[in-house]
Amino acid sequence: MEFTLLIVIIPLFVFLFLALAGHKLKPGIAGITGTAGMAIAAALSYAAAYIYFFDTAKIDGVYQKITPVSVEWLRFTEKLHIDLGVLLDPISIMMLVVITTVSLMVHLYSIGYMHGEKGFQRYYAFLSLFSFSMLGLVIATNIFQMYIFWELVGVSSYLLIGFYYTKASAVAASKKAFIVTRFADLGFLAGILILSFYTGTFDFDLLTADKGSLVISSTAGASFIGLSAATWAMALIFMGGAGKSAMFPLHIWLPDAMEGPTPVSALIHAATMVVAGVYMVARLFPVYAFATPEVLTMIAYIGAFTALFAAIIAVTQTDIKRVLAFSTISQIAYMMVALGVSGFGGHDGLGYMSSMFHLFTHAFFKALLFLGAGAVIHAVHSNEMGDMGGLRKYMPVTNITFLIACLAISGIPVFSGFFSKDEILVAAAHHDTLLYVALWAVAGLTAFYMFRLYFNIFWGKEREYHHKPHEAPRIMLFPLLFLAVLSCVTGLVPFSDFVSSDGKPFDTHLNWSIAAQGVSVALLGIAFAMVLYRKESDKPARIAAGLGILYTAAVKKFYLDEIWMFITQKVIFKCISAPIAWFDRHVVDRTMNLTGQATEKLAWLIRDFQSGKVQSYAWMFIIGALLITVWAICM
Amino acid sequence: MIPMEHYLIVSMVMFFAGIYGFIARKNLLAILISLELILNSVEINFSVFNRYLYPEHLEGMFFSLFGIAVSAAETAVAIAIIINIYRIRQDIDVRHIDKMKN
């Protein structure tokens, strides 16, 4: 299985090639190079998945973790060292497949979407850099390697959000994304350090082996402000995951990240990078489940709150990419809840399995939604719902594929989202009624806002278009169709045969009563959206007016941005940073300046000695010699 | 035999005359001549001390010989420098030569 290393290495070389030689290439060649590299990586991932699942990795019916490549990179002590390597287990294989597939589709789609853009080669270089980092993240053998690639995906996300660097809003958004996630990563790093301080290892294998017993035994007794060291470590590590996966209250960067090119939003801010937090929790799942179940409960509640919160905001947004962004936040929170309610092993691990399942299906239908939105934006040159309407006549393929994705995300049977969402609802219902009700409500809201989006774009009143909207070119339609097919069929994958919390396959079957509840609320949402938005009417405006302040608050995203601005600008900057800056300028700097100024003054005083007059030097020399003589005689 | 003090008085007069000239004269050549006076007074001292205090040794004499050779070489170099300064500035007044470069 050593060839899996190539999956990571190929995008790296493509990146280096395009970054160093890209400006000399024709844009088309650069695009084809990037796409070809990704295609090879995708093919290798499929091969790896096939070999892993059907050929080698099962021993006594349990999927083994295998480490085909591992190099020691830095050694601190006998036990504590940082390795770089490849770890293959069901979830990393699943992620390899998802990332390379979506990335390949986005590469293909971008050839059409980004056609004629300035910096086309740079765009492909960054896409390859991102793919490299994300693939490196999922195959990490230890938490430190994960952290390294974690930061790399942050950088490439920053570069791609700020791709249109002449646009002030894109620059602001890229900075915001970087700073917010970096702030969260501070927690991640602190967590890693605490964890490795006690356990003396970074290795995932050792940390998660034997039900996390290493963490439990090594942190026993250690505590800080009433919480045990393990709780602190795992909660701080989760903070990093919450930043990347846009959990409340660190979600504020994701809607703004939509300033980047739409295919980038599809790849990074919907399908892959933002699920890194979920993946990380899944990777450390045995530790969360056995050493710190209280953190897992916290994750479940944060997730449920975020899911509901983001879904409510999504209902009111008018920028189509922002609706999708909030829907992404909500769906990722769904996966977090599923992990939070999960137990370990066998059927108890249903939440774990369903979380990964939802990650898998969501990647495809959300990428499809974004790419479809990209095709719409490409056609009407606007992000605003108000500028769209009646597009189904002009863009039939986009219409159908978008509808499929909407059905999938709403959890309508046969489409993929139904299966994964149903498993999550079952897992939540087993665990906690409150969480179940929250998720159930979110399912209804999801269906409502997705179909609000759909009807507003493709139905509703036809607008005055400057020029007739046209269907996207074929190179953009192929990814749409391909992902639409995936959105239809991925739900039928018997996922629990491949991925489970303990590596043992188990049986799942649809829970009809819960499925019926989920589907009925989704249908209700769709029906509601159809009544309100299928034909242009004043009903939505009337409802909005009726809700009054609640509606305004949701449009303003519950003033979270403003609260963060207040906290950072007014509290942190004014009360902490400003005094520190004053101290630096007036005490530290002034001490240094005084030293310098005193030296200069003294130099001015004595500079006349150095006149350059030879005879005055001679005088001094003689006087000095005489004085020494006199002194010598007197002594 | 002439007493040693007589020699030393002569050399002392030469030495201080040299010092005075070195400080007071403004012409580089005059300064160079004063320098020669100082050196020569020192060589006289070497020879005299050697002759009167340690007649069986010759180190003082050799020191004098070395001193003469060194001062000859040094004068040659100094004259070369002075000529070059003159070529550049048409002036060998020591008061005007107070910068390392122009």
Side-chain angles (χ1 to χ4, degrees):
Chain A
M1 297 291 274
E2 282 79 10
F3 72 89
T4 44
L5 188 61
L6 281 178
I7 301 173
V8 184
I9 297 292
I10 289 171
L12 173 64
F13 279 108
V14 172
F15 160 66
L16 289 176
F17 174 67
L18 290 179
L20 295 174
H23 57 282
K24 295 202 182 104
L25 298 176
K26 278 199 187 129
I29 306 282
I32 289 167
T33 315
T35 313
M38 214 53 237
I40 298 170
L44 288 173
S45 303
Y46 301 150
Y50 181 80
I51 296 171
Y52 182 85
F53 283 122
F54 298 111
D55 209 11
T56 54
K58 229 172 183 174
I59 297 173
D60 298 333
V62 177
Y63 286 115
Q64 302 294 315
K65 284 185 177 161
I66 48 178
T67 313
V69 184
S70 186
V71 214
E72 189 178 289
W73 184 60
L74 257 185
R75 174 170 284 275
F76 297 119
T77 63
E78 196 53 41
K79 269 174 74 191
L80 194 65
H81 49 88
I82 302 174
D83 294 350
L84 294 180
V86 178
L87 173 67
L88 296 179
D89 69 348
I91 57 171
S92 69
I93 291 273
M94 186 273 286
M95 287 300 282
L96 286 181
V97 170
V98 168
I99 293 162
T100 51
T101 309
V102 177
S103 184
L104 178 61
M105 289 304 123
V106 166
H107 273 78
L108 265 178
Y109 180 90
S110 301
I111 294 178
Y113 188 83
M114 300 298 284
H115 184 76
E117 291 276 357
K118 194 168 158 283
F120 189 84
Q121 298 92 328
R122 182 167 56 96
Y123 174 82
Y124 269 91
F126 289 162
L127 271 192
S128 299
L129 174 65
F130 171 76
S131 306
F132 158 68
S133 329
M134 191 67 208
L135 293 166
L137 192 155
V138 298
I139 52 146
T141 55
N142 60 73
I143 197 162
F144 211 92
Q145 184 186 353
M146 188 181 236
Y147 182 70
I148 294 169
F149 284 100
W150 188 275
E151 293 300 343
L152 269 175
V153 290
V155 171
S156 34
S157 154
Y158 164 82
L159 291 170
L160 282 164
I161 297 169
F163 180 74
Y164 299 119
Y165 57 81
T166 50
K167 210 164 100 190
S169 58
V171 173
S174 64
K175 276 194 288 192
K176 186 175 179 183
F178 194 71
I179 292 168
V180 172
T181 51
R182 199 66 201 73
F183 168 70
D185 294 347
L186 179 70
F188 191 23
L189 182 60
I192 293 173
L193 294 178
I194 296 172
L195 193 64
S196 57
F197 174 76
Y198 284 104
T199 58
T201 180
F202 291 122
D203 211 52
F204 283 134
D205 250 352
L206 294 174
L207 286 171
T208 57
D210 198 18
K211 302 184 174 175
S213 56
L214 176 65
V215 179
I216 297 171
S217 61
S218 61
T219 57
S223 69
F224 180 66
I225 325 185
L227 295 173
S228 78
T231 309
W232 274 106
M234 298 320 284
L236 283 168
I237 288 176
F238 172 67
M239 179 180 161
K244 269 285 184 274
S245 289
M247 290 294 109
F248 178 87
L250 295 167
H251 66 276
I252 49 164
W253 65 272
L254 187 59
D256 287 19
M258 297 302 135
E259 289 292 341
T262 309
V264 166
S265 310
L267 175 60
I268 301 183
H269 307 115
T272 55
M273 186 188 85
V274 285
V275 296
V278 179
Y279 178 76
M280 190 262 298
V281 174
R283 174 56 83 216
L284 288 168
F285 189 70
V287 184
Y288 277 110
F290 292 104
T292 58
E294 65 282 3
V295 178
L296 209 54
T297 313
M298 181 189 86
I299 291 173
Y301 281 96
I302 288 178
F305 179 73
T306 310
L308 198 55
F309 177 84
I312 291 170
I313 295 176
V315 170
T316 61
Q317 297 298 307
T318 56
D319 179 324
I320 59 171
K321 281 181 79 183
R322 274 175 200 252
V323 174
L324 292 178
F326 279 106
S327 133
T328 306
I329 296 175
S330 171
Q331 295 301 308
I332 294 166
Y334 239 82
M335 304 170 202
M336 283 289 187
V337 178
L339 280 175
V341 299
S342 178
F344 187 83
H347 213 272
D348 288 342
L350 180 68
Y352 178 93
M353 187 285 284
S354 60
S355 170
M356 291 296 110
F357 194 14
H358 199 54
L359 194 166
F360 182 67
T361 56
H362 173 258
F364 298 125
F365 59 67
K366 188 47 76 59
L368 175 55
L369 283 170
F370 267 105
L371 295 184
V376 170
I377 292 167
H378 198 70
V380 303
H381 302 290
S382 168
N383 282 11
E384 284 298 316
M385 258 183 216
D387 299 335
M388 299 162 188
L391 285 173
R392 70 182 186 285
K393 272 178 272 171
Y394 303 105
M395 313 178 74
V397 181
T398 314
N399 175 27
I400 297 296
T401 51
F402 204 86
L403 178 62
I404 290 172
C406 285
L407 289 169
I409 194 174
S410 307
I412 302 301
V414 184
F415 298 100
S416 60
F418 165 71
F419 296 94
S420 52
K421 209 175 253 189
D422 177 63
E423 303 289 2
I424 292 182
L425 287 173
V426 171
H430 280 313
H431 188 79
D432 189 333
T433 322
L434 182 64
L435 289 176
Y436 171 71
V437 172
L439 291 192
W440 179 78
V442 172
L445 281 171
T446 307
F448 175 68
Y449 66 66
M450 285 322 300
F451 276 87
R452 167 176 177 263
L453 189 64
Y454 172 73
F455 285 122
N456 263 316
I457 296 175
F458 294 102
W459 296 70
K461 192 172 153 231
E462 206 171 306
R463 308 283 154 177
E464 296 277 318
Y465 297 112
H466 290 303
H467 50 85
K468 221 174 118 212
H470 53 89
E471 184 62 282
R474 248 182 237 151
I475 192 123
M476 286 163 69
L477 290 182
F478 172 73
L480 291 180
L481 290 168
F482 186 80
L483 288 170
V485 171
L486 285 183
S487 301
C488 293
V489 300
T490 44
L492 305 172
V493 174
F495 210 73
S496 57
D497 285 354
F498 301 116
V499 174
S500 60
S501 50
D502 55 357
K504 287 193 201 84
F506 64 99
D507 283 334
T508 51
H509 31 80
L510 285 175
N511 183 326
W512 290 109
S513 72
I514 283 174
Q517 289 171 30
V519 172
S520 57
V521 77
L523 287 174
L524 193 68
I526 295 173
F528 212 55
M530 198 184 248
V531 171
L532 288 180
Y533 298 104
R534 196 178 148 195
K535 295 254 165 56
E536 182 90 352
S537 72
D538 61 345
K539 276 177 259 170
R542 282 216 308 271
I543 294 174
L547 286 170
I549 193 158
L550 276 174
Y551 180 79
T552 327
V555 172
K556 298 277 179 197
K557 303 161 206 161
F558 293 103
Y559 302 100
L560 247 284
D561 276 322
E562 284 76 5
I563 292 169
W564 272 107
M565 279 314 256
F566 178 79
I567 293 173
T568 50
Q569 305 272 3
K570 295 276 155 57
V571 179
I572 297 180
F573 289 180
K574 253 206 184 121
C575 302
I576 300 172
S577 309
I580 291 174
W582 183 90
F583 180 82
D584 187 51
R585 238 162 255 155
H586 292 88
V587 179
V588 179
D589 275 10
R590 184 158 286 184
T591 316
M592 292 302 141
N593 288 346
L594 272 180
T595 323
Q597 280 162 7
T599 314
E600 202 188 346
K601 284 260 162 60
L602 192 68
W604 274 101
L605 281 178
I606 59 171
R607 78 188 280 270
D608 287 344
F609 289 132
Q610 200 77 15
S611 62
K613 306 267 184 218
V614 181
Q615 287 181 319
S616 69
Y617 295 168
W619 259 120
M620 281 174 210
F621 177 73
I622 288 159
I623 291 168
L626 286 176
L627 285 176
I628 290 172
T629 317
V630 169
W631 179 76
I633 291 168
C634 293
M635 296 308 276
Chain B
M1 203 175 175
I2 304 167
M4 196 171 98
E5 287 78 8
H6 292 200
Y7 288 101
L8 292 182
I9 286 164
V10 169
S11 98
M12 192 177 74
V13 169
M14 278 170 73
F15 184 80
F16 283 103
I19 296 276
Y20 171 76
F22 190 82
I23 294 167
R25 299 308 294 263
K26 304 302 173 197
N27 188 311
L28 275 178
L29 280 173
I31 291 171
L32 188 60
I33 292 166
S34 313
L35 198 67
E36 287 304 313
L37 272 178
I38 297 170
L39 280 165
N40 283 330
S41 76
V42 171
E43 275 144 21
I44 290 171
N45 272 10
F46 274 128
S47 314
V48 167
F49 285 124
N50 182 240
R51 177 77 178 76
Y52 281 80
L53 301 182
Y54 306 100
E56 67 278 21
H57 295 301
L58 280 174
E59 279 92 340
M61 296 301 174
F62 280 113
F63 256 96
S64 299
L65 281 173
F66 277 118
I68 288 162
V70 168
S71 72
E74 173 237 293
T75 307
V77 173
I79 296 249
I81 292 173
I82 290 166
I83 289 171
N84 268 311
I85 289 174
Y86 183 77
R87 277 197 184 147
I88 294 165
R89 309 172 55 110
Q90 276 78 46
D91 177 20
I92 48 169
D93 189 325
V94 73
R95 283 171 301 184
H96 301 154
I97 303 167
D98 56 359
K99 289 197 173 61
M100 292 296 273
K101 47 179 184 180
N102 270 322

